[in-house]
Amino acid sequence: MPTLRDVAKLAGVSHTTVSHVLNGTKRVRPEVADRVWAAVETLGYRLNRQAQALRRGQSRILGLILPDLTNPFFPGLAQAIGLAVHRAGYTLTLVDSLEDEAVQEEGLRHLAEEQVAGAIWVPVNSYKPPPFPVVLVDRTAEGVDGVEADHFLGGRLQARHALELGHQRVGILSGPQSLRSARLRREGFLVEAQEGGLEVVWEEEVPFSLSLTPRARARLQKAREEVTFVAAANDAIALAALEVLRESGTRVPEEVSLIGYDDIPWATLAYPPLTTVRQPIPQMAEAAVGLLLRRVQEPEGEAARTVLPVTLVPRGSTREVGR
C-alpha cells in the first residue's frame, strides 16, 4: 500500500508539503500541488476518490463534533443537523468528544483524514482552528462563524418568570462557568433578578449533566427552608434536582418551583412536567448548515454569528406563590 512518503518521492517534494496539499492547511504553488495530486492518482494513495473530490472542491461529507451525547440536548441537535445536512445533499460523520479535549483532537484528525468539506462543532472548551471550515454551535468564539441561542435572554426569562409568579428567594444551579453559554445564562438571570428585587439566596455550579455535586444535593435537600424557586442551567440539571427534591419530601411546585433550560423531549415526561426555556434547535441546525456551506464556497471573509431568540415554556413545575 503506498504511503505519504511514496507520494512525496514521486512528486519530488517533502512529505510535509504533501500533507499541506491533502489537508489544505497551507498554500502551495499550483504547479507543486498539481504534481502532488498527480502522484496521488498514479499511486492510488489512500482513498483516491475522496482525494479527487477534495481537489475539485466536490467533497459531500460534513463533520459534526459534539461534546457529550449523554446530555439529551445534543442528540436532538444532532438529529436536526443531520436532517438539514441530508436536505442539502451531503452526508454526515459524527464525533462524540466525551467532554475530553484529547478525544476531541483525535476526532478532528479523523475528520481531516476523511477529507470533510467542513464541520459543525460544539467545542469541549478551548477552540483551535482545524484544517477545514467550521461553524461553532452553542459554544461560540470570537472571530469564528457561530450559531447560538440568546442565552443571556434565556437567563432573564427564567428570573422574570420567578418574579411574575411572586417569588422573592431563589437558588441557582448554574452550569460550568468555563463555558460561555453557561456564563451568559447566569449573567442574564442575575441582571433580571437585581432589577426586579429577586434575592439569590444560594448558588451552586454543577456540570451540564444528570450528576449533581454533593454541595448541590445538600442545598436541594433543605431547599424548602431557604427558597421557593430553583433555577437550573439546563433541563438535565433540573431533572436531577427534581429527583433530589422529591427524595427529600419537598413538593414541586407546591413548596419549591423549579425551572430548566433547553426544552428537551424528557421535559414533558417529568412529573410534574418541567417549565423551561426552549432553544430553537431546528432553526439553529438550519442556520449552522447554511452558514457552513456558504463558508465552504467562500473561505475568505469576516466571521458571521447568528443569535436566535429563546422562549419561555411554562408547565407544571412552577406556580404562583401562595396559590
Side-chain angles (χ1 to χ4, degrees), residues 191-227:
V191 167
E192 187 74 21
Q194 183 176 23
E195 291 178 0
L198 186 63
E199 180 185 358
V200 178
V201 177
W202 54 259
E203 176 183 354
E204 294 294 337
E205 182 177 335
V206 296
F208 272 149
S209 73
L210 291 165
S211 299
L212 297 175
T213 63
R215 285 177 55 90
R217 294 182 65 87
R219 287 289 194 186
L220 290 166
Q221 286 166 354
K222 59 179 182 179
R224 60 183 168 184
E225 302 170 14
E226 301 177 324
V227 300

Side-chain angles (χ1 to χ4, degrees), residues 40 44-52 113-115:
V40 165
Y45 171 72
R46 199 163 174 75
L47 298 178
N48 187 49
R49 286 178 294 178
Q50 286 190 347
Q52 289 177 330
E113 291 174 357
E114 288 291 312
Q115 311 286 8

Side-chain angles (χ1 to χ4, degrees), residues 62 84-85 88 120 135 145 147 283-297 306:
L62 299 178
V85 166
I120 295 169
V135 171
D145 291 331
V147 175
Q283 293 85 349
M284 291 170 66
E286 289 287 349
V289 172
L291 184 55
L292 179 59
L293 294 181
R294 287 195 296 274
R295 181 59 69 191
V296 168
Q297 296 300 318
T306 300

Side-chain angles (χ1 to χ4, degrees), residues 243-261:
E243 181 181 8
V244 176
L245 290 169
R246 187 177 295 138
E247 289 174 350
S248 66
T250 301
R251 293 175 297 154
V252 177
E254 291 83 358
E255 295 177 295
V256 173
S257 288
L258 177 66
I259 189 170
Y261 194 109

